[in-house]
Amino acid sequence: MKRPAIFLFVFLFTLRAAYPVEGMWLPLLLEQLNEPEMKSMGMRISAEDIYSINKSSLKDAILLFGRGCTAEIISDEGLILTNHHCGYGQIQRHSSLENDYLTTGFWAMDRAQELPNPGLSVTLLIRMEDVTRRALEGVSPDMNEAAREEKIRANISAIEKEAVEGTHYNARVRPFYYGNEYYLFVTETYNDVRLVGAPPSNIGKFGGDTDNWMWPRHTGDFSLFRIYVNKNNEPADYSPDNVPYRPKSHLPISLKGAEKGDFTFVFGYPGTTQEYLPSFAVEMITGHENPPAIRLRGKRLDIFDNFMNQSDLVRIQYSAKHAGVANYWKKMIGENRGIKRLDAIHKKQLLEQGFMQWAAASPERNEKYGRILPEFETIYNRLTELSADETYLIEGALGIEALRFAYAFGRLAETARDKDKAADETDKIIAQLKQAAEGFFKNYHAPVDQRVFAAMMQDWFAHQETDRIPAGLVKASIPYGTDYEKWASDVFSRSIFADETATMALLDGFKNRHARRIENDPLYLLARDVYQHYFDHLQPEMEKLYARRDSLQRIYMLGLMEYQPNRRFYPDANSTLRVSYGQVDDYYPRDAVHYRHYTTLEGIIEKEDPEIYDYVVEPRLKELYRQRDYGRYAAPDGTMRIAFIASNHTTGGNSGSPVLNAYGHLIGVNFDRNWEGTMSDLMYDPDQCRNISLDIRYCLFIIDKMAGAGHLVQEMTIIE
């Protein structure tokens, strides 16, 4: 009697363990929804070990880093680990021609050398709670959308206030399943975060934009920071008297590595996914929004590249900007290809056909759901037109840095002309603009921006009818015909806001009568027209359409869950703490091509090209390679592993997330997805979607053997 049961268990285990798992799951609900499956796939810890409010757990080591990445605490002295590209802005801001940390790397050899980062914070989750009942209290089916939202906002405000009363914590209630459920997140934020270490960019960014979103990958994408607190271990603003944070928990680090079939899970803050959108939305995104955005970003990148290759100063100034533009540019290209290959729109249409047939089979369901998809079609047809115009405004006009910068001065001009405004209010705005100007011009090169202006305007006028372009831009372009370079040259030569000296002179000697200098500035005039066009012609109608769409999406989500009662639905990512899990796995991107699940240092040596900045290999790294001096960080086969892939479902925001093994030990740092899987924000493909992670052994090897910062490794908990 026992043999068949054992056989069945082994058979089911084999099936489940071999299949990637879609989803980004709430840690609070793991025990209820996921723990049996996770254990069947090999997990050796409990759901409570991952998330608990009664004892220290892994969640106490996971941080929201800045505004859009994840980091993890890796020592009992507040040392935190994230991606190099997540810390890139801080590394860049500390860099100069004299101390080019982007090129040489940075390592603090003692606490006194660790660098403060004003404006950078990390946030720790204290607890989460399902507050759906309280959030929807008093909401009735006969309410219109405005009344419904007003009631929910009032409920949420009360919940958030009550949750943190008498504490220094923050609270936020977030909607899930498009407003069908609500969860409370209580958090603690730390504002004194210091840079501890970062490898040179030709390690931390090896392969650059060419390798971005690609597998195989050989990027040592990590940086180290440390949290500082007051002497009571509480969050505090920067002070030289602050001390390293003592966490409730930190992640132990395993040197065992990752092999094919190993269970892994990612714990972090994924940004945004839209898995439950109707087919009309996916068609709009991939067919009408992405293509012009790809083209416009590509032109900006070409201009950045040209100038950055000619000047080290411009390379430092524009490195973070280039990375930001390039990241989503390449992601959109891969997303479009993946949606097409997966035939995702057609698959969604088939789902929608089944949904409509199911709804029509019952008068009650037909009344509730029968009109949804036809209404979606009407809404998205109009949104498609408007979103194309919005794309040109955002990617084209607002891709011009000085144009965005100039618009901020409108508030100063408006205040100066208002006789009822006190002088100290003007002084306050001037002080704010001075601070903004210092940051802006530190990383600004007007010739780059002038060339971008010409390219963006040329593309815009070539692809859009003039009645869909802001009237002020059309009028301003008339004297120049199709000579966009001349137009750009004229605008930039006459504008205050492309020149640091002129801008600071305006602010230093500003009088109310100088408002006209702002109002007559050519860049300000264009900026005003662009923004006004958006506010007058796009925003009002788009907001109405979005409101109706969101209401329909909430009902559609509810309908899908009723239509597929046996399907396990996970909520779309919304920058809240999630767990995704899967296994280390290879894949076949196309016919006759097979990618194994890991890369090695040999691949870096093979890619070396001293003539290309992104493929320069550090002499010390080559020396260690020739000597095979990998120490305890070598894999059992003697190689130095660089990165590995697994089937964990990730997205933007998971950058820097820890990749953990069956025992909850850190084995990698998530930093990217493969290009074939970038469509996973819209539809997940288990055969192609892979997250890319830095092997923690390579990270430790760089810190210890190459940088000589072994004191940092000594404060970590290492499991041999």
Side-chain angles (χ1 to χ4, degrees):
M1 290 294 292
K2 290 182 179 179
R3 286 183 180 177
I6 293 172
F7 175 79
L8 180 61
F9 173 80
V10 172
F11 177 72
L12 289 174
F13 174 82
T14 304
L15 280 180
R16 298 178 80 175
Y19 197 74
V21 179
E22 177 182 1
M24 300 173 183
W25 305 93
L26 284 168
L28 175 67
L29 302 178
L30 287 179
E31 184 175 3
Q32 174 185 335
L33 296 177
N34 308 98
E35 187 176 50
E37 180 175 59
M38 295 172 80
K39 288 194 170 182
S40 77
M41 295 173 66
M43 187 173 76
R44 296 293 178 262
I45 58 176
S46 69
E48 192 177 17
D49 292 326
I50 297 172
Y51 174 88
S52 176
I53 59 171
N54 299 314
K55 64 175 186 177
S56 66
S57 58
L58 293 177
K59 75 132 170 94
D60 298 312
I62 313 301
L63 302 162
L64 176 64
F65 183 87
R67 295 192 180 120
C69 280
T70 302
E72 49 274 4
I73 304 172
I74 56 171
S75 85
D76 59 6
E77 298 176 74
L79 188 66
I80 64 176
L81 175 64
T82 189
N83 286 155
H84 184 270
H85 75 260
C86 293
Y88 199 75
Q90 282 69 42
I91 303 165
Q92 188 265 343
R93 277 189 281 276
H94 287 297
S95 294
S96 63
L97 287 175
E98 295 74 28
N99 294 297
D100 185 359
Y101 299 136
L102 291 176
T103 299
T104 63
F106 170 79
W107 302 98
M109 292 303 172
D110 58 45
R111 301 287 166 82
Q113 294 180 2
E114 296 177 357
L115 300 176
N117 299 281
L120 175 64
S121 64
V122 295
T123 301
L124 180 71
L125 177 71
I126 303 301
R127 66 182 176 90
M128 63 177 68
E129 179 185 345
D130 183 350
V131 293
T132 304
R133 183 188 58 79
R134 293 179 62 193
L136 297 178
E137 191 172 4
V139 174
S140 60
D142 59 339
M143 280 182 167
N144 61 39
E145 283 301 309
R148 185 181 192 277
E149 288 303 310
E150 184 179 356
K151 183 61 180 174
I152 291 173
R153 278 197 299 270
N155 290 342
I156 285 174
S157 179
I159 294 167
E160 292 174 342
K161 182 179 178 181
E162 178 188 318
V164 296
E165 198 164 3
T167 75
H168 64 273
Y169 296 148
N170 300 305
R172 190 174 182 188
V173 173
R174 299 295 302 273
F176 287 75
Y177 302 108
Y178 295 92
N180 286 293
E181 293 181 12
Y182 289 85
Y183 287 80
L184 166 70
F185 297 84
V186 177
T187 60
E188 186 172 34
T189 297
Y190 299 86
N191 294 315
D192 187 354
V193 183
R194 305 183 194 179
L195 177 63
V196 174
S201 288
N202 53 31
I203 289 175
K205 214 171 165 282
F206 185 81
D209 296 321
T210 304
D211 284 3
N212 191 24
W213 297 107
M214 305 298 285
W215 182 259
R217 200 68 174 275
H218 300 84
T219 311
D221 196 348
F222 76 94
S223 56
L224 294 166
F225 292 78
R226 193 184 304 278
I227 304 171
Y228 279 77
V229 291
N230 65 23
K231 290 182 170 56
N232 296 321
N233 206 41
E234 297 168 337
D237 291 335
Y238 171 80
S239 167
D241 297 327
N242 285 348
V243 297
Y245 171 58
R246 300 184 304 279
K248 295 178 185 176
S249 178
H250 69 276
L251 300 182
I253 297 171
S254 171
L255 298 184
K256 185 179 179 182
E259 297 300 338
K260 184 176 177 180
D262 286 353
F263 173 81
T264 63
F265 66 102
V266 173
F267 207 176
Y269 286 88
T272 303
T273 58
Q274 299 173 295
E275 301 285 344
Y276 307 109
L277 290 179
S279 59
F280 315 108
V282 178
E283 168 61 27
M284 181 182 77
I285 293 168
T286 58
H288 301 276
E289 290 182 350
N290 285 356
I294 291 167
R295 189 178 64 253
L296 289 164
R297 286 190 174 221
K299 291 184 177 184
R300 287 168 66 195
L301 289 170
D302 288 343
I303 293 166
F304 288 178
D305 284 334
N306 182 51
F307 281 90
M308 290 171 72
N309 289 336
Q310 297 177 42
S311 165
D312 285 338
L313 177 60
V314 176
R315 177 179 54 77
I316 293 170
Q317 290 175 319
Y318 277 78
S319 56
K321 297 175 188 176
H322 188 288
V325 173
N327 189 55
Y328 203 69
W329 166 76
K330 196 164 185 179
K331 188 260 187 184
M332 287 186 287
I333 295 172
E335 181 175 76
N336 274 24
R337 291 183 178 184
I339 290 295
K340 181 178 179 181
R341 181 191 51 76
L342 194 55
D343 199 16
I345 294 173
H346 179 61
K347 288 179 179 177
K348 282 188 174 286
Q349 288 170 342
L350 291 176
L351 172 67
E352 290 159 6
Q353 289 172 15
F355 177 81
M356 290 293 286
Q357 291 169 3
W358 167 81
S362 160
E364 292 79 13
R365 292 199 299 259
N366 194 53
E367 174 67 24
K368 191 173 183 180
Y369 303 121
R371 59 183 172 80
I372 289 179
L373 288 164
E375 280 202 49
F376 267 145
E377 184 173 17
T378 300
I379 289 170
Y380 278 108
N381 282 342
R382 181 58 180 148
L383 273 177
T384 294
E385 297 175 21
L386 296 171
S387 66
D389 293 348
E390 184 183 47
T391 297
Y392 279 99
L393 283 176
I394 294 172
E395 299 290 348
L398 301 188
I400 302 162
E401 297 172 81
L403 189 144
R404 299 196 308 271
F405 178 64
Y407 185 70
F409 284 74
R411 189 161 63 99
L412 176 58
E414 182 181 340
T415 304
R417 288 202 175 279
D418 189 339
K419 294 180 181 179
D420 295 330
K421 300 285 187 181
D424 59 349
E425 189 166 344
T426 303
D427 292 341
K428 182 180 179 181
I429 295 172
I430 289 171
Q432 292 170 345
L433 288 172
K434 280 185 177 181
Q435 185 177 8
E438 289 173 3
F440 176 78
F441 285 109
K442 180 180 184 293
N443 294 312
Y444 181 72
H445 189 59
V448 173
D449 208 24
Q450 180 177 320
R451 189 72 59 81
V452 168
F453 179 101
M456 296 300 97
M457 292 303 167
Q458 183 177 28
D459 189 283
W460 199 351
F461 279 81
H463 290 91
Q464 286 279 78
E465 298 87 351
T466 53
D467 62 354
R468 297 173 68 178
I469 298 174
L473 265 69
V474 175
K475 183 178 179 181
S477 72
I478 291 173
Y480 305 99
T482 58
D483 193 343
Y484 297 98
E485 294 287 349
K486 184 178 179 183
W487 185 15
S489 177
D490 190 25
V491 167
F492 275 72
S493 65
R494 293 190 295 112
S495 177
I496 299 167
F497 303 113
D499 182 271
E500 182 175 14
T501 302
T503 299
M504 289 306 188
L506 171 71
L507 293 172
D508 287 337
F510 189 82
K511 305 295 182 185
N512 285 351
R513 67 178 182 274
H514 294 153
R516 72 183 66 177
R517 293 183 61 191
I518 297 172
E519 294 166 340
N520 293 329
D521 184 273
L523 270 173
Y524 174 76
L525 286 169
L526 294 176
R528 185 196 63 190
D529 290 335
V530 166
Y531 280 96
Q532 206 60 47
H533 180 82
Y534 174 75
F535 293 136
D536 291 346
H537 299 285
L538 297 181
Q539 186 184 47
E541 186 177 0
M542 292 184 80
E543 285 188 348
K544 289 179 183 177
L545 290 167
Y546 286 147
R548 184 59 189 145
R549 177 203 63 181
D550 293 346
S551 174
L552 287 174
Q553 187 69 45
R554 183 186 76 250
I555 300 168
Y556 182 52
M557 186 79 243
L558 188 63
L560 285 176
M561 296 168 96
E562 289 182 26
Y563 171 53
Q564 299 174 305
N566 296 321
R567 178 179 174 184
R568 187 177 49 170
F569 286 85
Y570 59 92
D572 271 325
N574 60 356
S575 297
T576 57
L577 189 61
R578 305 292 182 90
V579 171
S580 60
Y581 53 95
Q583 290 171 311
V584 177
D585 203 2
D586 52 15
Y587 75 106
Y588 293 81
R590 53 193 177 275
D591 185 45
V593 177
H594 172 239
Y595 287 150
R596 73 181 182 192
H597 62 279
Y598 68 91
T599 57
T600 69
L601 187 51
E602 279 81 359
I604 291 178
I605 303 304
E606 290 170 358
K607 286 182 175 180
E608 180 183 15
D609 188 338
E611 303 301 316
I612 300 175
Y613 181 78
D614 290 330
Y615 292 100
V616 172
V617 180
E618 289 285 309
R620 173 63 176 157
L621 186 59
K622 287 193 284 188
E623 179 185 354
L624 290 167
Y625 169 74
R626 284 194 296 267
Q627 297 172 353
R628 299 298 192 269
D629 185 7
Y630 307 145
R632 58 177 172 163
Y633 311 117
D637 62 4
T639 61
M640 183 73 251
R641 301 282 179 92
I642 306 297
F644 63 92
I645 51 174
S647 59
N648 303 294
H649 191 178
T650 59
T651 188
N654 276 125
S655 291
S657 295
V659 183
L660 303 155
N661 66 13
Y663 299 94
H665 301 155
L666 183 66
I667 58 170
V669 185
N670 185 81
F671 69 89
D672 209 350
R673 283 175 284 169
N674 61 328
W675 210 23
E676 296 82 6
T678 52
M679 76 295 178
S680 61
D681 290 348
L682 300 172
M683 183 177 283
Y684 181 84
D685 180 0
D687 293 328
Q688 296 293 311
C689 292
R690 298 289 182 269
N691 68 302
I692 304 175
S693 304
L694 169 69
D695 193 308
I696 197 64
R697 294 171 296 185
Y698 183 55
C699 172
L700 298 178
F701 164 76
I702 294 297
I703 295 169
D704 189 359
K705 304 289 285 185
M706 185 176 159
H711 62 286
L712 297 173
V713 178
Q714 289 174 11
E715 68 176 89
M716 304 173 195
T717 301
I718 305 295
I719 298 171
E720 296 286 349

